Amino acid sequence: MRLQKLASLMKEKNFDGAVISPGTNLYYLTGLKIHEAGERLTVLVVSADGNYHLLAPGLYENVVRNFPVTFWRDGENPYHKLAWILAELELSSGRLLIEDTMRADWLINIIKLGRFELHPLSSVVRELRTRKDRHEIEMMKHAAKAADRIFDEILSWDLLGMRERELALKIELAVRELSDGISFEPIVASGENAANPHHEPGERRLRKGDMVILDYGARWRGYCSDITRTIAIGRPSEKLVEIYEVVKEAQENAYRAVREGTKAKEVDRAAREAIARAGYGEYFTHRTGHGLGLDVHEEPYIGPDGETILENGMTFTIEPGIYIPSLGGVRIEDDVVVLDGKGKRLTRADRELVFL
Ligand SMILES: CSCC[C@H](N)C(=O)N1CCC[C@H]1C(=O)O
């Protein structure tokens, strides 16, 4: 069904076909769970006429069923078989969409098989994926609930003296117990490390006076959640507590700015203005949010350049932050869906500052 939608979109936009390697687009379009297959060529070829054929390594002979497929075994040259599939689907030349994340060595060999004009698959598939249907939103609610429950669990742990990477591992285990897995490696950033938005958890132990950024997410049936809460260990400096309140207000303002018909950049502006008003504008160093779904970062991006007009069914994060070198940082993040014209939080863990 979704493959047929892709085919009609390709027709509409004058593309002849698509070559799709394993990843979230392949899963979204076919439901096939083919993990990144490493170096072994695995591609789905789809024509704008609605025909499609998978080329997969022999390892999948007992896995892929009821789907038009050709297998190749180790020792064979898979590109000979791919050339045959392209010819069968009348795609030996023309305007082709290529999966954005395809390995460069595959792409280089595919280019040699014909005379193509190549374009990124995302330029077309984004039109299908950015608005989630009811089933997708249910999956995302489930992933978000798991993230909320884990935050409550974290608050019951004895965090004082724990190393960042120990806490990250405990969060990862908790996520894995409640869901299908992590949506990305948890971030635990304490004290001055919290000034780095993408800090990699290390050996630092959590101590009194720290603000600690916790950023993690769960996956449910492929769909991601992504939550950030910042907690205090003991009593941090007055400046950090003030910063917390500024970020909380910025996050709330951005959330309230979410409306069907509003541009993504208006939501970003609402957060950015609150932070600038409080005098911390230069310390908010990233966009306000990003789309969320099968990928943890996808369209629509909620940044100062976000021209996407928000529509019902769009799902994204709102996660302003303030990061001050040598002092630390604060970020608060929720997942939001546009429903009935307004934003609705999917993650709902308490946003008041917790002092542990
Ligand atoms: C996929 S790792 C980062 C997850 C995090 N929630 C996140 O998306 N961000 C943290 C800082 C800003 C934002 C980002 O755009 O990377």
Side-chain angles (χ1 to χ4, degrees):
M1 178 63 173
R2 285 175 175 167
L3 276 176
Q4 294 312 325
K5 279 193 183 160
L6 172 66
S8 17
L9 267 179
M10 287 196 290
K11 248 225 161 107
E12 197 183 303
K13 293 174 183 284
N14 285 325
F15 288 105
D16 299 295
V19 183
I20 308 174
S21 49
T24 53
N25 285 324
L26 183 68
Y27 176 68
Y28 176 81
L29 292 165
T30 65
L32 288 173
K33 283 190 188 144
I34 297 186
H35 295 291
E36 302 292 334
E39 71 285 5
R40 289 184 175 96
L41 182 69
T42 313
V43 285
L44 174 69
V45 183
V46 187
S47 78
D49 296 331
N51 298 315
Y52 53 91
H53 199 96
L54 180 72
L55 175 68
L59 296 170
Y60 288 100
E61 279 175 21
N62 300 329
V63 178
V64 179
R65 304 236 181 243
N66 304 319
F67 200 90
V69 56
T70 295
F71 295 105
W72 65 275
R73 292 210 168 160
D74 290 347
E76 288 183 304
N77 184 338
Y79 293 95
H80 292 160
K81 292 195 164 174
L82 180 55
W84 174 81
I85 293 170
L86 288 168
E88 284 292 299
L89 269 56
E90 299 181 43
L91 291 175
S92 299
S93 63
R95 276 165 49 88
L96 288 193
L97 294 167
I98 293 280
E99 167 60 53
D100 301 31
T101 60
M102 182 181 286
R103 287 172 60 115
D105 55 343
W106 296 5
L107 182 59
I108 289 165
N109 283 317
I110 290 171
I111 287 171
K112 290 180 190 155
L113 297 180
R115 286 165 58 85
F116 307 118
E117 183 190 309
L118 303 179
H119 295 264
L121 178 67
S122 61
S123 61
V124 171
V125 171
R126 78 158 65 110
E127 291 190 26
L128 301 173
R129 281 183 56 177
T130 36
R131 266 170 286 110
K132 272 67 181 174
D133 64 26
R134 262 194 298 169
H135 171 77
E136 292 179 288
I137 293 169
E138 282 311 307
M139 300 303 103
M140 294 193 63
K141 277 187 186 163
H142 194 109
K145 269 204 178 121
D148 286 345
R149 280 179 60 185
I150 289 158
F151 182 64
D152 289 343
E153 210 183 305
I154 294 170
L155 297 183
S156 71
W157 297 342
D158 191 5
L159 298 181
L160 187 64
M162 199 181 280
R163 290 184 197 279
E164 288 175 347
R165 62 181 187 80
E166 251 180 274
L167 177 51
L169 180 61
K170 274 174 76 73
I171 293 174
E172 176 165 346
L173 289 173
V175 173
R176 289 187 186 280
E177 263 179 31
L178 277 187
S179 69
D180 291 337
I182 53 173
S183 40
F184 57 92
E185 302 226 340
I187 296 173
V188 174
S190 64
E192 63 279 6
N193 290 342
N196 173 0
H198 279 190
H199 174 69
E200 195 179 319
E203 300 302 322
R204 190 181 183 283
R205 290 183 190 277
L206 273 49
R207 60 179 87 118
K208 286 201 172 142
D210 280 353
M211 282 289 193
V212 185
I213 293 180
L214 307 170
D215 185 347
Y216 58 91
R219 237 174 232 281
W220 188 250
R221 304 304 180 251
Y223 288 86
C224 299
S225 60
D226 181 0
I227 189 171
T228 306
R229 289 292 182 268
T230 303
I231 57 172
I233 308 288
R235 190 86 210 170
S237 66
E238 280 311 309
K239 188 171 168 102
L240 280 170
V241 174
E242 177 199 310
I243 284 171
Y244 187 93
E245 293 306 319
V246 173
V247 172
K248 190 169 69 142
E249 190 190 336
Q251 208 254 8
E252 181 66 24
N253 289 1
Y255 171 64
R256 286 171 189 269
V258 175
R259 285 272 177 280
E260 185 190 15
T262 295
K263 282 190 175 175
K265 66 182 181 189
E266 297 304 329
V267 176
D268 178 85
R269 194 154 62 141
R272 213 163 287 283
E273 274 181 0
I275 290 176
R277 248 194 328 270
Y280 294 103
E282 65 177 296
Y283 301 109
F284 178 17
T285 49
H286 53 73
R287 61 194 173 210
T288 293
H290 53 82
L292 186 71
L294 288 171
D295 284 313
V296 75
H297 282 182
E298 59 178 51
E299 298 278 350
Y301 292 98
I302 314 295
D305 56 347
E307 293 292 338
T308 306
I309 295 173
L310 299 182
E311 290 178 53
N312 283 320
M314 288 186 173
T315 47
F316 47 86
T317 68
I318 298 187
E319 50 178 314
I322 295 177
Y323 311 95
I324 304 192
S326 309
L327 178 69
V330 170
R331 177 165 69 252
I332 302 174
E333 170 184 26
D334 281 314
D335 305 340
V336 168
V337 57
V338 187
L339 271 188
D340 301 325
K342 289 189 304 199
K344 185 171 180 232
R345 282 192 165 90
L346 296 173
T347 44
R348 288 150 176 243
D350 196 4
R351 292 184 304 282
E352 290 305 310
L353 180 56
V354 179
F355 297 90
L356 291 179

